[in-house]
Amino acid sequence: MKPATLEFLKQRFTDYYKTSYISVPSSLEQREWGFIFFDTSSDVRMRRHMAFSDPRELADYLKNMVPAHVYYSTAYYSTPSAPTMNDKVWTGADLIFDLDADHIMRGPYTEMLARVKEETEKLIAMLTDELGFSPRDLAVVFSGGRGYHIHIQSLAVRGWGSQERREIIDYVCGTGIDPAVMLTQSDAAPAGWRQRYLDALREHLLWLKSLPEEEGIHTLTGIKGVGKRGAADAAAFLAEIDDLARDLEEYRTRTLLGSRMVKAIVTEEGSAFEQRLREKGAHADEPVTTDIKRLIRMPGSLHGGSGMRVVPLSAGELAGFEPLEDAVVFGDRSVKVDMKMAITTAMNGNTYQLQKGTNTVPEALAVFVCCRGMAEIAGEKADGS
Amino acid sequence: MVIAFDYKDLAKYPFLKESEQLVRKHFDSLDRFLSGPRGDEALQRAKERILDAIDPKWEFREEDAHRLPPEIEIASYALARILVSCAGDRLLPERLTRYEAIAVSHFLESEEAEKKRYVAQFVGLDLAKSSLPVPEYIELITQLRDARWRLINRDIQSGLVRLEAAEYDELLRERIRVVLLRNLPLRVPSTLCERFAPIIDEIGAAYQQQMLEQFGAVEEEAFPPCIGGLIGAVTAGTNLTHMGRFAITAFLHTIGMNTFQIGEVFARAPDFDPEKTMYQVEHISGSSGTAYTPPSCATMRTFGLCLNRDAICEQVNHPLSYYRRKKKKIGKPKQA
Ligand code: SF4
């Protein structure tokens, strides 16, 4: 990053931290803080093991130091500023979920943002409708980058270790499903994953049936447990799929458990069925949830890799949230930037086609492209005076 | 309603506060008790408890709990807890509490419903409910390795996990185990531990012998394909899933490798992070309190970790049984 660009970003960020009110996380004095700065001259990438006992102290620090990235611990510590993890004395941690579009798909930024928002909605529904968390206990946060975080501060989960948290994250992601349990006939109507599982299986069987017969047989004999010699069985199986699908619809699973084909389909690793099932889960990042000593981006701060605001939302606000408008904090004053590449991007309801080389763009977009390392501030003085 | 436990009942459930009160009523101080006429009897019974706990062939016998007067039996329960705390081996408290929990669950099988309910309540479980809130359920089952206990394999609706009546006995046993393990090892004054030194040495020797008899020296050639494959993956630098790391660590620990040796296995990875690895290894192998049993073949399969099955696999349903069998096999020609 050129000095002029660095200066421009620091000024914009300073302006934000000087003029905005940012609410601090609960139990401030028990949190550890970490910061990454624009100047890469220092050899420590992140300054961490810091603690603040007073919201004003933190606000002053942000105004004066103008960090590019601001993080605090999801954990609560007796001595958050102690230099080693052991000395900090862990006393609990918020339950965190991280949804990052990078782990879900590749594509244009706007599409990634839309996809990860859907995924977040799916996760919220699972947490509230199935696992019983109250929507009021969920703090949803736009990360300022390519995803969302969910913070749950409820006391019921605060003392949990990684093991307990893993039960939850495995549940939302659909990890560790036991086909035998899923297909066991039960008097109770299926709920949660059993329901999803039976639905996925039905969809999968109907899909097999919808293929030209030869292709259907080919798909089945390609499964390890069936093999080439199973062609006749595969054909017979395809013929009875309608019955099986009806059984599934009415949650009669007794017949299915005995079927060699069904068994082969559901136990094959990396299969199309497994893929279908995974789609029904929410693609949250496992390590973030199970790590009980993690740092997370501070809601209300700016993301140094995009210049956008890390926006706290309630579960209900998510639906109407448009990151490329609602997380944009800078203005529309014209700024000249020197693009390293051509890009097309949306912001504040407009679409911009930027060419390689010099472009005049609104300040907010200039911050965005500079933060992402796609451009430098061009020619003139950086402060625009 | 007041539930009347007689003295004989209390010997079966020595952890209840009523049992503790009974012992206090009889013996005012531990010191005087130990030097008194019955002290040695109680101590011998405590030793027996621990030896039973580490004996894989131990079988529950109702009469064992009633050979001695109830107050001595209960005192021996408490002394056994002190002894394993002095011994300093992290697996001993684990074994002892598992044993106590199994014994209690046997007693409960034929117990009057009211008393059973009372014992359950004492450890914080309400047997009358047909479901548990998700957080309570999770706290109850984290140490149970079977795939069917995983939250994802349960019927859940509006935050409640449905339970079958038949599952309560298992959950109750697990709950008792966890509660009994909770404050072990106890902080025992060193003078007291010194006084028990001979008995503790005896236990230590028996324990070591058990371990050697069961698994003998570590023989990598006898590892089942799944474990061999996982170690191969580590060596190649593959990032293992949590379950994968768990399976290796718990397996290696159970066959007698110490934390340091297990750490060495992980150190074969190119991106080895000593601090993080040791933390995980220690956690799984139990220096933080609990040691985990390695997953069964069924669980390994569920997590996609059962790889390259071979002929021996057909005869076993646990990687540990595989190891024991194969070891015997390759052991024979060497001796010949
Ligand atoms: S069958 Fe069992 S022992 Fe054999 S590879 Fe699979 S998990 Fe391992």
Side-chain angles (χ1 to χ4, degrees):
Chain A
M1 195 179 283
K2 290 189 178 149
T5 310
L6 189 70
E7 193 52 33
F8 168 70
L9 289 179
K10 276 173 81 171
Q11 280 191 11
R12 293 300 88 224
F13 274 50
T14 308
D15 195 42
Y16 173 78
Y17 285 118
K18 283 218 163 109
T19 53
S20 322
Y21 169 78
I22 305 172
S23 69
V24 300
S26 69
S27 310
L28 175 66
E29 64 293 341
Q30 296 174 50
R31 310 272 189 178
E32 179 203 348
W33 290 79
F35 303 93
I36 294 177
F37 296 94
F38 283 111
D39 313 70
T40 41
S41 54
S42 108
D43 42 329
V44 256
R45 210 180 89 80
M46 181 190 281
R47 196 174 298 172
R48 58 182 299 182
H49 308 304
M50 304 201 34
F52 299 93
S53 50
D54 181 330
R56 243 185 336 192
E57 247 180 88
L58 173 65
D60 286 346
Y61 187 89
L62 295 177
K63 275 180 218 160
N64 293 320
M65 302 298 289
V66 203
H69 304 271
V70 184
Y71 305 91
Y72 69 84
S73 64
T74 59
Y76 303 78
Y77 300 107
S78 307
T79 318
S81 58
T84 71
M85 283 303 173
N86 264 343
D87 293 338
K88 288 190 198 303
V89 188
W90 187 91
T91 62
D94 300 331
L95 180 61
I96 301 287
F97 299 90
D98 175 24
L99 297 116
D100 186 338
D102 269 344
H103 298 175
I104 302 169
M105 66 169 287
R106 297 258 150 214
Y109 190 47
T110 42
E111 275 173 38
M112 289 174 92
L113 284 176
R115 179 74 176 75
V116 74
K117 189 169 147 185
E118 275 171 31
E119 213 57 32
T120 309
E121 279 164 348
K122 197 156 54 164
L123 174 58
I124 293 174
M126 277 175 143
L127 290 173
T128 54
D129 303 349
E130 291 172 37
L131 298 179
F133 290 101
S134 153
R136 266 175 301 130
D137 286 341
L138 305 189
V140 184
V141 177
F142 172 62
S143 74
R146 294 190 186 86
Y148 292 87
H149 302 151
I150 292 178
H151 303 225
I152 299 180
Q153 301 200 335
S154 140
L155 281 173
V157 302
R158 199 175 281 185
W160 281 1
S162 301
Q163 295 268 340
E164 287 83 357
R165 291 165 200 252
R166 179 161 296 107
E167 293 290 335
I168 300 274
I169 187 75
D170 280 356
Y171 186 92
V172 300
C173 296
T175 309
I177 293 180
D178 185 337
V181 174
M182 294 293 140
L183 291 176
T184 301
Q185 179 83 45
S186 156
D187 301 334
W193 273 99
R194 206 149 60 83
Q195 164 105 56
R196 272 188 282 270
Y197 192 89
L198 299 181
D199 289 348
L201 186 54
R202 188 168 54 90
E203 287 159 20
H204 193 72
L205 294 183
L206 292 174
W207 167 77
L208 278 169
K209 174 92 184 169
S210 74
L211 298 173
E213 196 188 359
E214 212 169 302
E215 204 183 321
I217 294 176
H218 184 75
T219 310
L220 284 168
T221 52
I223 300 174
K224 220 168 114 211
V226 181
K228 289 275 169 288
R229 277 181 299 161
D233 288 357
F237 178 71
L238 286 173
E240 58 168 11
I241 276 185
D242 283 332
D243 292 338
L244 293 175
R246 204 160 321 116
D247 281 348
L248 276 168
E249 204 163 16
E250 286 154 24
Y251 307 126
R252 282 190 308 262
T253 53
R254 223 164 254 132
T255 41
L256 290 150
L257 206 53
S259 158
R260 189 168 77 96
M261 286 297 161
V262 170
K263 197 169 165 221
I265 290 172
V266 298
T267 50
E268 196 196 17
E269 270 164 51
S271 63
F273 173 67
E274 197 181 288
Q275 190 58 34
R276 193 183 292 274
L277 193 57
R278 287 239 154 211
E279 291 297 312
K280 301 214 179 260
H283 299 274
D285 200 17
E286 190 238 284
V288 175
T289 300
T290 54
D291 185 348
I292 56 171
K293 297 180 176 172
R294 205 163 182 103
L295 296 176
I296 191 123
R297 235 171 238 291
M298 177 197 193
S301 65
L302 296 179
H303 187 306
S306 69
M308 291 205 277
R309 182 164 172 259
V310 181
V311 186
L313 302 160
S314 69
E317 281 167 337
L318 179 63
F321 177 72
E322 291 296 340
L324 288 170
E325 298 176 23
D326 302 333
V328 176
V329 293
F330 296 110
D332 48 15
R333 178 176 66 102
S334 295
V335 175
K336 272 198 188 132
V337 293
D338 187 8
M339 294 295 298
K340 294 177 187 167
M341 61 194 95
I343 63 154
T344 303
T345 191
M347 186 169 274
N348 282 334
N350 298 315
T351 303
Y352 298 90
Q353 284 186 316
L354 306 184
Q355 310 305 321
K356 190 166 188 277
T358 309
N359 295 262
T360 302
V361 298
E363 176 189 81
L365 185 54
V367 170
F368 179 76
V369 289
C370 289
C371 277
R372 297 196 69 183
M374 294 169 161
E376 301 279 359
I377 288 296
E380 311 165 335
K381 273 210 189 148
D383 61 5
S385 60
Chain B
M1 181 179 34
V2 182
I3 295 161
F5 282 96
D6 59 29
Y7 283 6
K8 224 177 140 192
D9 287 331
L10 294 181
K12 298 189 284 186
Y13 313 117
F15 52 88
L16 294 178
K17 66 174 187 308
E18 289 82 351
S19 311
E20 203 186 313
Q21 281 157 2
L22 176 69
V23 174
R24 280 190 201 290
K25 207 169 80 189
H26 276 82
F27 314 112
D28 50 354
S29 94
L30 181 64
D31 214 39
R32 237 171 301 162
F33 169 61
L34 285 171
S35 13
R38 319 235 48 177
D40 205 49
E41 222 175 335
L43 205 52
Q44 285 307 318
R45 173 72 180 126
K47 184 179 88 182
E48 194 182 297
R49 287 186 113 93
I50 299 169
L51 294 181
D52 280 350
I54 59 179
D55 180 359
K57 290 188 285 294
W58 168 76
E59 266 167 40
F60 170 77
R61 278 191 314 262
E62 167 123 31
E63 33 330 335
D64 284 356
H66 304 306
R67 263 186 286 123
L68 298 169
E71 65 277 11
I72 305 293
E73 176 70 12
I74 296 166
S76 81
Y77 160 84
L79 280 172
R81 291 171 67 83
I82 295 180
L83 289 176
V84 295
S85 302
C86 289
D89 186 299
R90 57 179 184 267
L91 274 176
L92 276 177
E94 175 74 21
R95 294 280 170 105
L96 180 66
T97 46
R98 193 173 292 274
Y99 153 90
E100 300 284 6
I102 291 172
V104 170
S105 71
H106 278 293
F107 288 125
L108 287 173
E109 263 168 34
S110 51
E111 193 53 275
E112 294 160 38
E114 265 162 36
K115 290 183 183 168
K116 183 170 174 178
R117 213 173 305 134
Y118 182 84
V119 172
Q121 225 163 51
F122 184 82
V123 294
L125 205 61
D126 183 350
L127 298 182
K129 288 193 204 150
S130 60
S131 62
L132 280 178
V134 167
E136 262 177 63
Y137 175 79
I138 288 181
E139 284 164 23
L140 201 54
I141 55 86
T142 34
Q143 316 280 346
L144 295 170
R145 296 318 302 184
D146 242 12
R148 76 193 152 100
W149 294 115
R150 302 278 69 78
L151 189 64
I152 192 165
N153 290 318
R154 309 300 305 194
D155 275 358
I156 302 177
Q157 227 158 6
S158 316
L160 293 173
V161 183
R162 203 165 59 81
L163 293 171
E164 308 277 351
E167 290 177 322
Y168 265 102
D169 286 343
E170 260 174 285
L171 288 178
L172 180 53
R173 181 172 69 211
E174 171 64 6
R175 183 69 195 153
I176 292 171
R177 189 186 70 77
V178 169
V179 168
L180 296 190
L181 188 60
R182 208 150 47 189
N183 34 24
L184 284 183
L186 307 165
R187 238 179 280 160
V188 186
S190 56
T191 46
L192 192 57
C193 285
E194 273 156 33
R195 176 171 189 167
F196 295 142
I199 260 189
I200 290 167
D201 287 346
E202 221 177 302
I203 292 168
Y207 184 45
Q208 182 128 47
Q209 200 184 341
Q210 276 302 342
M211 291 291 254
L212 284 176
E213 259 170 40
Q214 266 190 71
F215 297 108
V218 173
E219 275 184 51
E220 214 163 311
E221 313 88 83
F223 285 180
C226 47
I227 300 294
L230 283 169
I231 294 179
V234 169
T235 314
T238 315
N239 229 332
L240 294 186
T241 59
H242 170 79
M243 196 55 180
R245 279 189 313 255
F246 172 80
I248 303 193
T249 309
F251 178 87
L252 297 179
H253 180 71
T254 312
I255 63 165
M257 279 169 82
N258 64 30
T259 325
F260 180 71
Q261 292 166 316
I262 300 172
E264 278 186 334
V265 170
F266 285 98
R268 299 176 192 175
D271 59 347
F272 175 60
D273 171 352
E275 197 185 339
K276 198 166 152 204
T277 304
M278 290 323 273
Y279 171 78
Q280 285 173 342
V281 168
E282 278 173 11
H283 179 75
I284 294 170
S285 57
S287 62
S288 59
T290 35
Y292 300 104
T293 13
S296 66
C297 294
T299 307
M300 294 286 281
R301 237 167 280 138
T302 303
F303 284 87
L305 295 171
C306 169
L307 307 162
N308 311 325
R309 285 173 62 103
D310 63 15
I312 304 181
C313 287
E314 304 301 329
Q315 307 162 18
V316 301
N317 47 31
H318 203 290
L320 282 175
S321 336
Y322 182 107
Y323 178 68
R324 252 180 254 129
R325 261 170 201 258
K326 177 111 179 231
K327 227 176 130 175
K328 259 194 220 136
K329 250 193 192 162
I330 51 184
K332 267 177 209 145
K334 268 189 206 152
Q335 285 158 0

